[in-house]
Amino acid sequence: MTVPVRVVFLGPPGAGKGTQAKQLAEHFEVPHVASGDLFRKHQVENTELGQLAKRYMERGELVPDGVTISMVLERLQEPDAANGYILDGFPRTLEQARALDKALAEHQRSIDRTPLLQVDTEELVRRLAGRWLCSKCQRPYHEVTAPPKEKGICDVCGGELMQRADDQPDVVRKRLQTYEEQTAPLVGYYKEQGKLRTVNGDQAIEDVGRDLISAMME
Ligand code: AP5
């Protein structure tokens, strides 16, 4: 096939979606569009949407579909997304997936590939507990498996690293439950469309990246 340009990443919290989506976006030279990052940006800017999203995010629940769909579809209309994008964290419900498909169909387009990163629950919890994130560019690090070159500083943009409030163990448990209840059904949705590609996310970051690229070209 030709290079897949419209990609939806699936996988539970901590599976490595952000880590891999950023690298894949660089590889295919398309933007990385992460709904969680967009909500966190709204919170930093203290917009009305940011305040609303915060109430759901700190409880490990999903932000309502209506505002989420509008926010992401608006982002996908920006010029840099004209030739494709790597979506990370969206869609997360069947309603969001159907809205995305409908918006794309209006322009005779569709999602090309949906990689699913599979990782054991215990490993997910361990990853989220040790995660640090750049406060400027949102690049994820891990204190053991993916540390920055200089403690507390982003290798790429020099931003300060911080921990996410929703990485506290009780919120992580709720996020995992929310994933099982509301997002896991998307696996069947994309499988039926023939777009799902399952990748073992429980390997070194470079090995996951290599397997992802070959799975995307199948
Ligand atoms: P969001 O920001 O999307 O979080 P998430 O889906 O829970 O995913 P994470 O960012 O926690 O994990 P990840 O898979 O990206 O892993 P990462 O690469 O960072 O959403 C947050 C909240 O926003 C939601 O709970 C919800 O409230 C709201 N929201 C967002 N989108 C929404 C939507 N569409 N609808 C409604 N609400 C929405 O990696 C994790 C750690 O592991 C890092 O430390 C990393 O360095 C490390 N790591 C990565 N890969 C490996 C590896 N192979 N080996 C070892 N360590 C690794």
Side-chain angles (χ1 to χ4, degrees), residues 27-172:
H27 183 84
F28 290 136
E29 299 181 342
V30 291
H32 166 222
V33 176
S35 45
D37 290 352
L38 295 174
F39 284 132
R40 282 183 285 277
K41 187 164 178 272
H42 274 279
Q43 282 171 40
V44 169
E45 291 165 359
N46 200 24
T47 65
E48 213 173 296
L49 176 58
Q51 289 172 17
L52 173 87
K54 185 169 187 281
R55 293 206 291 277
Y56 292 91
M57 290 168 80
E58 63 193 11
R59 293 198 298 254
E61 293 171 5
L62 296 186
V63 180
D65 281 335
V67 287
T68 303
I69 291 166
S70 309
M71 174 185 76
V72 176
L73 293 187
E74 219 169 274
R75 169 66 185 91
L76 298 185
Q77 306 222 334
E78 287 178 27
D80 67 334
N83 295 322
Y85 36 77
I86 308 288
L87 275 169
D88 160 14
F90 181 95
R92 239 177 167 101
T93 63
L94 283 169
E95 188 173 336
Q96 292 178 15
R98 290 186 186 118
L100 176 63
D101 280 352
K102 184 166 174 273
L104 285 168
E106 282 165 11
H107 298 92
Q108 291 76 48
R109 289 176 176 161
S110 63
I111 292 299
D112 296 312
R113 288 283 179 268
T114 309
L116 165 67
L117 293 180
Q118 276 187 327
V119 177
D120 282 349
T121 306
E122 268 178 41
E123 170 68 4
L124 297 173
V125 173
R126 197 184 62 78
R127 286 186 186 179
L128 295 176
R131 171 165 62 183
W132 288 80
L133 209 63
C134 175
S135 53
K136 265 204 212 152
C137 75
Q138 306 278 325
R139 186 166 288 262
Y141 294 86
H142 189 277
E143 56 196 26
V144 178
T145 55
K149 291 191 183 94
E150 193 182 336
K151 198 173 177 218
I153 307 288
C154 177
D155 293 349
V156 179
C157 75
E160 196 185 331
L161 303 190
M162 46 86 131
Q163 286 194 292
R164 271 171 49 176
D166 63 348
D167 280 347
Q168 296 302 316
D170 54 334
V171 187
V172 166

